[in-house]
Amino acid sequence: ILNVEQSPQSLHVQEGDSTNFTCSFPSSNFYALHWYRWETAKSPEALFVMTLNGDEKKKGRISATLNTKEGYSYLYIKGSQPEDSATYLCASSTGNQFYFGTGTSLTVIP
Amino acid sequence: ETGVTQSPTHLIKTRGQQVTLRCSSQSGHNTVSWYQQALGQGPQFIFQYYREEENGRGNFPPRFSGLQFPNYSSELNVNALELDDSALYLCASSARITGPQETQYFGPGTRLLVL
């Protein structure tokens, strides 16, 4: 069992603010790191999958970085909008299993 | 392209009963994984099915069982329900087993309440 941790647990930001949160995972036997965005009453939406140390991925105003040597990934949101309000989940995967953190709940206040 | 669908959306059962949850995978996907998300927790892996065979199992007792059909849809069965089985059950499909980098695409989940 992999212990994946996310921080903070929840976050409230003003519209237009930039924000970031962290996913920590065991650095030994690392294979891949996945980020999902999960809006209430909807399906989790895949954002990024990263495998290589130093990977950076970007999708619109959202970007992510990966440090496999120290076992963490950052997710950044630039200029937060109310529609960014969601829970952001990360998962470390080995073979067929995804090990999820408990998520960061983001609320963007208009 | 049709996404992953699950049924029912909500379900109420009593302790000791049995329940069947259903999942239709995304078009072109032959692998289905099931997860349980208890309140305040992240999703936990139950098991995965690939081409109708179980392909890995998490730390869940045998009363959690599954099936995958030739059209790659899947069922999760839970026998002898316990109060702690109350959770959101998520199904995810993926295109093929190529490795940990393969993205899993999730359905909206079935919320089960055991009284």
Side-chain angles (χ1 to χ4, degrees):
Chain A
I1 296 180
L2 294 181
N3 187 26
V4 177
E5 297 183 346
Q6 293 187 246
S7 63
Q9 187 176 5
S10 65
L11 197 54
H12 290 73
V13 301
Q14 291 291 136
E15 182 176 352
D17 287 351
S18 294
T19 187
N20 65 86
F21 20 94
T22 306
C23 173
S24 301
F25 53 87
S27 56
S28 59
N29 296 318
F30 171 81
Y31 291 97
L33 194 284
H34 300 254
W35 280 101
Y36 286 84
R37 174 170 61 196
W38 195 0
E39 295 178 64
T40 303
K42 294 188 177 179
S43 305
E45 173 196 355
L47 288 175
F48 306 114
V49 54
M50 295 183 289
T51 57
L52 299 176
N53 185 47
D55 250 356
E56 289 189 33
K57 293 284 179 82
K58 188 175 180 182
K59 185 176 182 179
R61 293 178 292 98
I62 304 177
S63 60
T65 61
L66 180 68
N67 183 323
T68 61
K69 294 184 178 180
E70 296 183 37
Y72 65 83
S73 175
Y74 292 140
L75 189 80
Y76 300 91
I77 302 179
K78 185 178 178 182
S80 301
Q81 299 297 309
E83 58 265 31
D84 296 329
S85 297
T87 295
Y88 291 82
L89 283 171
C90 70
S92 181
S93 60
T94 65
N96 54 9
Q97 291 197 31
F98 278 30
Y99 296 90
F100 281 92
T102 54
T104 293
S105 175
L106 174 67
T107 302
V108 181
I109 304 164
Chain B
E1 184 179 82
T2 306
V4 178
T5 60
Q6 293 186 242
S7 63
T9 55
H10 295 82
L11 204 50
I12 300 175
K13 292 285 189 178
T14 56
R15 265 186 311 176
Q17 285 189 311
Q18 180 265 342
V19 69
T20 297
L21 311 182
R22 294 178 175 83
C23 171
S24 291
S25 59
Q26 187 166 315
S27 176
H29 289 182
N30 58 14
T31 303
V32 173
S33 303
W34 286 92
Y35 293 83
Q36 179 197 65
Q37 188 188 30
L39 198 61
Q41 303 296 316
Q44 290 195 38
F45 177 75
I46 303 175
F47 44 56
Q48 183 181 82
Y49 278 82
Y50 171 61
R51 293 186 174 179
E52 302 178 57
E53 297 287 332
E54 187 177 292
N55 180 60
R57 187 179 185 92
N59 189 28
F60 282 82
R63 58 190 185 83
F64 285 77
S65 62
L67 282 173
Q68 188 179 31
F69 300 99
N71 67 354
Y72 304 127
S73 66
S74 177
E75 286 182 355
L76 164 65
N77 299 291
V78 187
N79 293 322
L81 283 166
E82 300 177 1
L83 296 179
D84 284 350
D85 295 333
S86 296
L88 180 70
Y89 289 85
L90 291 164
C91 164
S93 72
S94 52
R96 61 194 178 278
I97 295 181
T98 57
Q101 73 278 9
E102 192 69 39
T103 296
Q104 294 188 4
Y105 296 88
F106 284 83
T110 293
R111 187 162 298 281
L112 172 64
L113 178 62
V114 182
L115 301 175

